[in-house]
Amino acid sequence: MVLVGLNLRPALSSLAPLLARVQQDTGLSPSAIGALTTLPVLCLGLFAPLAPRLSRQYGPERALSLGLVVITSGLLLRWQGSPLALYAGTLLVGAGIGVSGALLPALVKRELPRGADLMTGVYTMALCLGGALGAGLAIPLSDLLGGWTRSLAAWSLLAMAALIAWELYMPRTAATPRMAGDPGTGMTRGLLRQPLAWQVALLMGTQSSLAYIVFGWLPTLLMQRGIGEAEAGLLMGMSVMVQLISALLAPWLARFGRDQRPALLLVLASTASGLWILLMADTSLRYLGALLLGLGQGGNFSLALTLIVLRSADSRLAGRLSGLAQGGGYALAALGPLSVGIMLDLQAPITAIAWLLMGIAAAAASFAWFAGRQRQLCFDADDNVITRCAPRRGSR
């Protein structure tokens, strides 16, 4: 699971530092480049809801293998370098990551039910490490391998390694096709009637919107402030690398309170502070801004995934809530990088972009206040999805 998590961000974070070179070589307009940064996030939202269906049809392990195959194929297709191949490869990458990312929380809930929150932090840490490697190595790999297309395609080797390891060591369970009268029938409709499910999904969407704006546009925004291409990529890589710390520690920190609201608000405040410093403060503070941004965003994503596990009474609900929260959340998140791309195309001042990001952070904080309460989705005696007060840790 950790090795799989390592592959769910390099395909996204490795593109942003290379956007200037991609635009120069392909002749794509700023709007087309903006669409390229939005496409994978939109695909995450469109394909994540397919994860429960693929899990029932093939088993969650085989479905995750399929996701890794699609990621590998998309990365290899980017090698062609043409605009068509670039968009098609990015679409496949987004689809594979959407399915794989939605499957992992349910697998964690099933395999490690008592330590699911801490295990979520561990594989989220691996996910953040993959993002940091993608951002930090994009420019060096392009220079070393002789072009940005090879730099993007090189990450297929890591995806192949994860696929081989997963096939060798994954747990083995049979597929469970849905039958008439199955108590899980109508589970998604039941979830959609629960405000808690929407609160988790909206939190996932707003915090992910900030994350994918950073993945897609932070180097470009920093370069507009006079920071060089290499240092802009380094700052983004540093920010993502720092996420390793908070991704692992945030679920542990959340255990100290009655609920997860204090931890969520703390990491969101760190994210907003880091973005404001990077975009609005004196550039001499840029490394402090990258540090605060990384600490905040690592904790944001780790806690958002942890909430999927904590707000679900069993692995079936965790799988459905994961598909709903990540599907709907990523579809919402796609509006973030798209909006920034449009604003840059219209030559909006960086001040306006900074205020947009503050507004998204404020919205995330409001959803965190509700999603962070100690509530849980479960089945009642008639197999209907309901919301109850979550049992205390250690109780059954």
Side-chain angles (χ1 to χ4, degrees):
M1 291 181 188
V2 171
L3 190 55
V4 170
L6 194 62
N7 279 273
L8 300 187
R9 285 300 176 270
L12 307 178
S13 64
S14 61
L15 180 60
L18 298 168
L19 284 180
R21 302 186 184 192
V22 173
Q23 186 173 9
Q24 181 180 356
D25 290 351
T26 61
L28 292 172
S29 67
S31 297
I33 290 291
L36 189 62
T37 64
T38 303
L39 179 62
V41 189
L42 184 60
C43 287
L44 295 182
L46 292 175
F47 289 93
L50 295 179
R53 180 178 298 180
L54 293 172
S55 178
R56 289 194 307 272
Q57 186 169 354
Y58 302 110
E61 298 84 6
R62 291 296 180 195
L64 191 54
S65 294
L66 176 62
L68 288 171
V69 169
V70 174
I71 292 171
T72 305
S73 302
L75 288 168
L76 288 173
L77 188 57
R78 282 174 162 182
W79 198 334
Q80 299 298 316
S82 68
L84 178 61
L86 194 57
Y87 278 97
T90 301
L91 187 150
L92 287 175
V93 162
I97 293 174
V99 169
S100 301
L103 289 168
L104 277 172
L107 281 166
V108 169
K109 184 75 173 181
R110 190 193 74 188
E111 296 295 319
L112 297 164
R114 290 187 175 273
D117 52 348
L118 296 184
M119 182 59 199
T120 300
V122 171
Y123 86 72
T124 306
M125 183 182 69
L127 188 147
C128 294
L129 175 60
L133 292 174
L137 296 179
I139 297 295
L141 280 176
S142 179
D143 294 339
L144 178 65
L145 300 178
W148 57 267
T149 58
R150 296 179 182 180
S151 175
L152 293 176
W155 298 103
S156 63
L157 299 175
L158 183 61
M160 290 178 192
L163 176 61
I164 293 170
W166 182 250
E167 282 292 321
L168 290 175
Y169 298 110
M170 67 181 178
R172 310 281 172 173
T173 60
T176 55
R178 187 172 66 187
M179 306 295 290
D182 184 359
T185 301
M187 196 188 309
T188 300
R189 290 194 298 273
L191 281 176
L192 290 173
R193 290 193 290 267
Q194 299 300 316
L196 178 59
W198 285 99
Q199 291 155 9
V200 173
L202 289 169
L203 172 61
M204 175 65 76
T206 47
Q207 68 84 26
S208 294
S209 182
L210 292 173
Y212 289 108
I213 288 171
V214 169
F215 278 135
W217 292 113
L218 183 61
T220 301
L221 295 173
L222 292 176
M223 289 166 64
Q224 283 200 359
R225 300 206 67 200
I227 297 172
E229 180 188 48
E231 188 178 8
L234 176 63
L235 282 166
M236 178 176 164
M238 170 191 164
S239 174
V240 182
M241 182 65 76
V242 171
Q243 292 181 18
L244 300 175
I245 302 170
S246 53
L248 182 61
L249 294 182
W252 175 79
L253 177 65
R255 287 188 164 203
F256 283 96
R258 293 179 55 197
D259 55 39
Q260 289 73 49
R261 285 179 291 184
L264 283 164
L265 295 177
L266 176 64
V267 296
L268 283 167
S270 179
T271 298
S273 300
L275 286 169
W276 187 261
I277 290 172
L278 285 171
L279 299 184
M280 297 301 297
D282 192 278
T283 55
S284 63
L285 299 173
R286 59 191 181 277
Y287 286 95
L288 173 62
L291 174 65
L292 290 172
L293 176 62
L295 290 174
Q297 290 202 304
N300 289 342
F301 189 63
S302 184
L303 286 173
L305 288 179
T306 300
L307 285 184
I308 293 174
V309 173
L310 294 179
R311 298 296 171 262
S312 307
D314 59 30
S315 61
R316 289 185 303 160
L317 276 169
R320 291 301 180 91
L321 182 59
S322 179
L324 173 64
Q326 297 197 57
Y330 287 138
L332 174 64
L335 297 176
L338 177 62
S339 299
V340 172
I342 292 172
M343 292 176 76
L344 288 172
D345 201 20
L346 295 175
Q347 298 183 340
I350 202 164
T351 304
I353 295 174
W355 279 113
L356 170 66
L357 300 185
M358 295 304 104
I360 296 173
S366 66
F367 298 131
W369 182 258
F370 293 101
R373 295 174 299 168
Q374 199 69 12
R375 302 287 188 271
Q376 192 175 68
L377 297 161
C378 63
F379 294 109
D380 64 12
D382 297 321
D383 290 317
N384 297 312
V385 179
I386 61 171
T387 301
R388 68 177 182 187
C389 289
R392 292 184 179 275
R393 193 174 299 278
S395 63
R396 300 289 293 183

